[in-house]
Amino acid sequence: MRKINPGSINSYIKYGNLKIPKSIQCECPECRKTTEFLLNANYQSSKNGLVTECSCPQCKQSAVFIIMTREGQDEQGEHADTYIYDLQASRHPINQIENLPNIPKDLIRAYRSAINVHQSRENSATAVMSKRVIESILKHFLGEKSKGQPLSQQLESLPNHVNLAKPIQSLSHLLAADGSLHQMLELETDMDYETTSLLMDLLESLIEYLFVLPGKIEVTHNKIAKNIHH
């Protein structure tokens, strides 16, 4: 299941008190191309939500959308949360970042465009969009300070403006000796299945943050350096 980012919904229709998506711009679970899905109105309804299928204009394969009408709503309670059935969802970084808090909309748009033009093998357009993604990331953290500075200088000053240690340090409060999680880990109190699932997510994130990401950046950096110095 992959959550559809509200920025990817082009139009809505009314469904009772809710607005539900009519047209969605997203990646097809089959061909992986980003395209516009026009949702059929022949929903299968259940007490928690609606299910509908529509075919991808690119590969003609059917995609399944799940619209949460009962509990899954935004803060204003107007728009229903929408998901697409996608077995590979968690593996693609665009799907991971769309669901994170505090991600700027223009960054998601630029990154999606970079993915699209790269898939189309438009190399010059990919270079342009990649630069825009890097600029969007730096602008988000540096604000006005990024104006007029070369990208190399902006990247060098980035750690002064981002607390890279914060995600790790915030866990110290969670694992405090008098806290519930500490007691669960020490088997002093029972842990339910939902909490164990969240704990597994936490382990995965910790490993990714401390080992996978630094390693991937280093490996990719070395490959780029080797490629451009051929």
Side-chain angles (χ1 to χ4, degrees), residues 1-4 21 24 39 43-44 46 48-53 63-69 80-86:
M1 294 276 280
R2 166 171 33 115
K3 189 173 182 183
I4 300 293
I24 297 174
L39 270 59
Y43 308 109
Q44 285 173 272
S46 75
N48 292 317
L50 307 169
V51 179
T52 186
E53 281 186 52
V64 176
F65 290 88
I66 297 105
I67 302 160
M68 306 302 292
T69 53
D81 281 351
T82 303
Y83 298 83
I84 184 169
Y85 184 70
D86 183 355

Side-chain angles (χ1 to χ4, degrees), residues 14 28 92 140 185 201 207:
K14 287 287 279 181
C28 171
H92 202 302
H140 177 67
L185 294 176
D201 285 349
I207 291 167

Side-chain angles (χ1 to χ4, degrees), residues 138 142 145 149 151-162:
L138 292 167
L142 304 179
K145 298 180 190 75
Q149 282 191 337
L151 291 180
S152 59
Q153 213 174 322
Q154 289 183 49
L155 275 164
E156 199 159 328
S157 68
L158 186 63
N160 303 329
H161 300 275
V162 187

Side-chain angles (χ1 to χ4, degrees), residues 2-17:
R2 166 171 33 115
K3 189 173 182 183
I4 300 293
N5 180 53
S8 304
I9 298 171
N10 295 338
S11 63
Y12 289 91
I13 53 170
K14 287 287 279 181
Y15 183 85
N17 300 325

Side-chain angles (χ1 to χ4, degrees), residues 63-126:
V64 176
F65 290 88
I66 297 105
I67 302 160
M68 306 302 292
T69 53
R70 190 171 169 195
E71 288 168 350
Q73 291 166 27
D74 61 13
E75 280 154 29
Q76 289 83 31
E78 281 183 8
H79 300 97
D81 281 351
T82 303
Y83 298 83
I84 184 169
Y85 184 70
D86 183 355
L87 287 173
Q88 311 225 340
S90 59
R91 293 162 200 250
H92 202 302
I94 188 77
N95 306 323
Q96 292 171 343
I97 71 163
E98 280 187 340
N99 296 328
L100 296 176
N102 311 322
I103 289 275
K105 290 268 198 315
D106 64 327
L107 171 56
I108 292 174
R109 278 195 295 270
Y111 183 42
R112 190 184 287 115
S113 299
I115 291 168
N116 290 346
V117 290
H118 175 251
Q119 283 175 342
S120 308
R121 296 186 172 270
E122 295 172 29
N123 297 340
S124 299
T126 306

Side-chain angles (χ1 to χ4, degrees), residues 137-138 140-142 154-171 205-206 208-211 213-214 217:
I137 291 169
L138 292 167
H140 177 67
F141 291 109
L142 304 179
Q154 289 183 49
L155 275 164
E156 199 159 328
S157 68
L158 186 63
N160 303 329
H161 300 275
V162 187
N163 187 348
L164 295 170
K166 189 183 168 189
I168 300 298
Q169 287 166 344
S170 67
L171 291 175
S205 300
L206 268 175
E208 190 160 344
Y209 189 76
L210 295 170
F211 299 98
L213 289 179
I217 289 173

